[in-house]
Amino acid sequence: MCGAMPPTYAIKTFIASLHPTYFIPEEHVNFFYPFWSKFGFILEESGYMHIQCTKPDTIGTTLTGNPVGLAAYILEKFSTWTNSEYRNLPDGGLSKRFTMDAMLDNVMIYYLTNSITTSQRLYSEAFTYKQMGLNLDRVPTPVPTGCARFKHDLSHTIDWILKDKFPNLVHSTYHPDGGHFAAMEVPDVMYKDLMDFIKKVQNAGKTKPNNEL
C-alpha cells in the first residue's frame, strides 16, 4: 500500500475529487473514488489501528496464549483486506487466495514467538507526540520510489500527493486484482512489478552523467 500524509494531503484530495480524471487515468478513478464510500470503508476497518495505537498491551495480553483468538484477529484481516466482498462469504473467502498452511504459518509466527504484543506496539510508538512532532511527512525522500496499487487494498494515494513526499516517483502502476497481501495473493504480478521498478532504477542510473574525475 502506497501512502503519505504530507501537509497538502487534505486539500489535494479535495481538489482531485472535483475533477478526478485530471489527476488520475480515467480507467483507474475507481481505485480512489467515490470518496465517501472509500472513506467509510477506512473508518469501518481502522478500529484495530485505534486500539493498537492507544491500548496495545491490552489487546496484546488478550491474544497472547490464546491461539483461537489470535487466529481470528489476524485472519479476519486476511479476509477483509484481500477483498471487502469476502466478508459476506461463509469462510470469509480465505480459501480463495490462501492455503491453510500459509495462514497457519502466519499466525504461528506470532503465537510461538509470543510477539503479538510487541508487534502491535509499533502503532503506539509511531503515534506518540514525540514521533509525530518530527513531522517526517514534511521531509522529502529523494530516493527512486515505486508504487504498485492493487485494486482491493485498503486505500490508495494519488501520485500528485505521493510526489510531495517522494519527488523521485519513477514507477506507478495499477493492478485490477489483489489486495493488501498482494505478495501472497498474486505473487507473479507482484514480482513482475518489482522487477520492472528495479529495471527503471538501473536504467536511470546508467543514463546519469559520470562526474567523477
Side-chain angles (χ1 to χ4, degrees):
M1 182 169 67
C2 316
M5 291 286 287
T8 57
Y9 180 86
I11 185 62
K12 284 191 172 183
T13 297
F14 172 72
I15 293 173
S17 71
L18 301 177
H19 198 332
T21 55
Y22 186 81
F23 304 93
I24 308 161
E26 185 172 2
E27 64 272 24
H28 302 311
V29 168
N30 60 0
F31 275 65
F32 307 90
Y33 300 101
F35 175 79
W36 288 112
S37 173
K38 303 292 185 181
F39 183 67
F41 177 67
I42 289 296
L43 286 181
E44 185 177 356
E45 293 302 323
S46 59
Y48 83 98
M49 183 178 71
H50 293 290
I51 193 168
Q52 290 178 191
C53 282
T54 59
K55 304 290 189 296
D57 287 9
T58 301
I59 185 63
T61 301
T62 303
L63 298 175
T64 298
N66 179 5
V68 175
L70 180 63
Y73 190 83
I74 292 176
L75 296 183
E76 179 266 324
K77 304 297 183 286
F78 273 74
S79 169
T80 306
W81 295 0
T82 298
N83 188 322
S84 61
E85 295 182 359
Y86 286 176
R87 292 179 295 182
N88 302 319
L89 299 178
D91 67 345
L94 292 172
S95 59
K96 287 182 174 292
R97 290 294 192 183
F98 311 106
T99 65
M100 184 63 71
D101 282 347
M103 290 186 286
L104 287 176
D105 284 348
N106 194 285
V107 173
M108 293 301 283
I109 288 173
Y110 295 97
Y111 180 67
L112 293 178
T113 60
N114 196 29
S115 59
I116 188 63
T117 304
T118 51
S119 73
Q120 292 172 331
R121 286 183 189 144
L122 169 67
Y123 289 79
S124 178
E125 293 165 1
F127 286 92
T128 62
Y129 286 115
K130 181 178 180 180
Q131 183 68 22
M132 297 291 285
L134 296 176
N135 291 316
L136 295 179
D137 277 325
R138 294 175 178 266
V139 182
T141 302
V143 298
T145 305
C147 173
R149 298 178 183 85
F150 294 86
K151 179 65 181 295
H152 301 294
D153 205 346
L154 277 167
S155 67
H156 304 283
T157 305
I158 62 176
D159 287 351
W160 189 34
I161 294 174
L162 286 178
K163 287 180 179 178
D164 287 344
K165 172 63 179 175
F166 307 104
N168 195 10
L169 184 67
V170 299
H171 181 77
S172 179
T173 56
Y174 297 82
H175 300 286
D177 197 8
H180 192 68
F181 306 101
M184 295 177 68
E185 300 169 50
V186 285
D188 291 344
V189 176
M190 183 75 175
Y191 173 78
K192 183 180 184 305
D193 192 283
L194 178 61
M195 291 298 102
D196 289 344
F197 167 62
I198 291 173
K199 289 176 183 177
K200 288 180 181 179
V201 174
Q202 290 175 332
N203 291 335
K206 292 177 182 178
T207 59
K208 286 186 177 180
N210 188 347
N211 296 323
E212 296 181 1
L213 295 177

